[in-house]
Amino acid sequence: MSIKKESKPNLSHSQVTEITARLFGLTVSTIRPLPSYDDQNFHVVCVDAGDFVLKIMNSSVSENLKLLEMQTHSMIFLQQNGIPVQTALSTITGQMMSLEEIDCGYGLQKYLVRLLTYLPGVPVAKITCTPQLLYKIGKMAAMLDQVLLRMEHENLNVLRRENFIWSLSCVPLIDDYLSVMDGDPVQLIVRGVIDQFQKQVVPKLPSFRKCINHGDLNDHNILVEQDRLSCYKISGILDFGDMSSGYFVFELAIMIMYMMIESANPLEVGSALIAGFETIHPLNADERDALYTLVLSRFCQSVVYARSAVLQQPENEEYLMITSKHGIRLLQILWEKGKEEVEKVWFDGAAKMPVLIANFNP
């Protein structure tokens, strides 16, 4: 869900240069804007220091300092435990982030600023994703959640984000925004998915294994780089803004949904991701049974909230609708094929995947 237009930062290049120098003691040589949903990101190259990402959080989220501190701590913890993620650089006064009063055209507002390491690679969205790479991505996602289970922090409870609309625990909240789909036949499918979630997923929640979810492992937040001819390795996991307490199966469902978006064979994407994920965290019977509905639920969240976000930020429509453009078509396909047919493709394919991976020679 997008925040109001006036909450989103809109720094000029001169403001970026000034903040980078004042907070971090670095001289910017080049600046390139990066896409963002609610915040503002810049790829900055600094003299004698290299590449970084300057991230300016929207003024609404910037009010929740404990949550942002928790996200920053999580990235550091993951990096220390072998997961390729960005980490924050300290300011010249030793802080990992700074709350700045900035005028972006709507008067002075407070925005949280961080300078993050710049990771190598390209987003998965820009390459043709093979089953072998999807298998690696599924495995990495499960490893990430396993590592976060070991994390200790006095403010861990802030990740219990009640009524956080992007959490799969909060699927029924879609109904509050469903009027944006009035007149669209897809609205009936969304209502059907919400009903299916209430009846088939909610009763099973007590048997799902808990964890902390990244919550947004999409094809733009996973970076890869070539390590051998026609073979990619994961070089970065980006954007921890949707972190929340959840369940392992939520992470898998969200990932399946997003990886289907740009795939030439979207229905088969789930097989490789499930197979990789289960090398680290095998699903139990209830988690398997709920996966289809959870994937549908994430499609519904994406489609409905994107429509609503465009009403707030019409100038950002192209970026906000990246997922929704194909998401509606895929939601219809999954719904029409039904649970039994989709599960057969996913789970039969996942069972065969280890042999395919073993025989793969790039």
Side-chain angles (χ1 to χ4, degrees):
M1 185 61 189
S2 182
I3 42 81
K4 293 181 179 180
K5 180 179 180 179
E6 57 267 27
S7 296
K8 183 170 181 175
N10 186 29
L11 274 68
S12 66
H13 284 202
S14 62
Q15 287 173 311
V16 169
T17 298
E18 186 275 330
I19 282 176
T20 306
R22 176 168 51 84
L23 294 182
F24 303 99
L26 298 174
T27 302
V28 174
S29 59
T30 61
I31 301 171
R32 180 170 64 89
L34 298 171
S36 178
Y37 201 89
D38 283 333
D39 308 313
Q40 195 177 20
N41 302 322
F42 294 95
H43 173 194
V44 295
V45 181
C46 299
V47 177
D48 298 328
D51 298 54
F52 301 94
V53 173
L54 186 72
K55 189 171 186 69
I56 305 98
M57 309 301 296
N58 68 76
S59 61
S60 179
V61 170
S62 294
E63 295 174 0
N64 197 341
L65 290 179
K66 285 188 177 180
L67 177 62
L68 292 167
E69 287 172 357
M70 193 68 245
Q71 292 170 4
T72 305
H73 175 80
S74 300
M75 290 189 287
I76 293 170
F77 184 80
L78 286 166
Q79 195 268 343
Q80 291 172 342
N81 284 273
I83 306 295
V85 300
Q86 294 173 295
T87 53
L89 277 77
S90 60
T91 66
I92 56 177
T93 59
Q95 306 301 309
M96 289 298 177
M97 52 192 194
S98 179
L99 193 61
E100 297 291 310
E101 277 199 334
I102 307 169
D103 188 345
C104 292
Y106 301 98
L108 284 174
Q109 295 194 66
K110 293 182 178 180
Y111 302 98
L112 197 287
V113 176
R114 287 179 290 186
L115 189 67
L116 305 175
T117 51
Y118 185 85
L119 299 179
V122 297
V124 167
K126 293 185 179 295
I127 67 166
T128 299
C129 213
T130 64
Q132 290 76 22
L133 180 55
L134 288 169
Y135 181 89
K136 292 178 184 178
I137 291 170
K139 186 175 182 177
M140 174 66 76
M143 289 173 60
L144 187 153
D145 286 1
Q146 289 277 33
V147 170
L148 287 176
L149 271 180
R150 304 199 303 268
M151 183 173 65
E152 297 179 356
H153 194 277
E154 60 183 1
N155 291 326
L156 266 180
N157 64 313
V158 301
L159 295 177
R160 296 174 189 158
R161 302 168 73 174
E162 291 186 17
N163 297 323
F164 178 47
I165 60 171
W166 288 110
S167 168
L168 279 174
S169 294
C170 298
V171 168
L173 293 180
I174 296 172
D175 200 47
D176 295 340
Y177 301 86
L178 203 47
S179 61
V180 299
M181 305 292 290
D182 285 350
D184 191 324
V186 174
Q187 188 184 66
L188 292 176
I189 296 178
V190 176
R191 291 192 187 280
V193 172
I194 295 172
D195 183 64
Q196 196 166 291
F197 178 88
Q198 296 272 37
K199 293 177 179 177
Q200 299 180 16
V201 175
V202 172
K204 293 182 170 65
L205 287 174
S207 64
F208 292 177
R209 272 77 58 82
K210 294 180 179 180
C211 69
I212 296 170
N213 291 139
H214 174 282
D216 197 16
L217 287 177
N218 64 55
D219 50 350
H220 294 270
N221 284 339
I222 301 172
L223 301 179
V224 294
E225 57 181 357
Q226 231 166 354
D227 61 352
R228 287 174 288 170
L229 184 64
S230 301
C231 190
Y232 288 93
K233 67 177 181 179
I234 300 168
S235 58
I237 306 292
L238 308 178
D239 194 354
F240 285 76
D242 284 352
M243 278 184 71
S244 66
S245 298
Y247 303 92
F248 279 95
V249 69
F250 283 8
E251 198 81 273
L252 178 58
I254 291 167
M255 188 169 47
I256 289 173
M257 174 264 171
Y258 282 121
M259 292 301 157
M260 289 179 69
I261 296 294
E262 301 292 343
S263 175
N265 301 295
L267 200 59
E268 298 171 12
V269 161
S271 300
L273 291 171
I274 291 167
F277 195 88
E278 290 200 305
T279 61
I280 304 297
H281 185 85
L283 302 177
N284 64 33
D286 282 344
E287 290 165 340
R288 282 194 158 220
D289 188 60
L291 188 59
Y292 168 77
T293 303
L294 289 171
V295 173
L296 286 174
S297 297
R298 186 57 167 203
F299 269 115
C300 291
Q301 288 178 322
S302 178
V303 166
V304 173
Y305 296 150
R307 288 272 184 94
S308 185
V310 169
L311 297 179
Q312 297 285 349
Q313 295 182 36
E315 77 287 349
N316 201 22
E317 180 174 359
E318 183 178 357
Y319 179 73
L320 294 172
M321 296 295 287
I322 283 175
T323 300
S324 186
K325 283 188 301 183
H326 301 298
I328 288 178
R329 178 179 60 86
L330 292 169
L331 173 60
Q332 290 172 312
I333 290 172
L334 288 177
W335 182 255
E336 289 165 6
K337 286 187 177 296
K339 184 172 185 286
E340 185 176 347
E341 184 176 344
V342 173
E343 284 184 342
K344 181 172 176 57
V345 173
W346 285 351
F347 295 124
D348 286 0
K352 298 171 184 174
M353 194 58 56
V355 175
L356 189 155
I357 298 298
N359 292 336
F360 176 64
N361 291 304

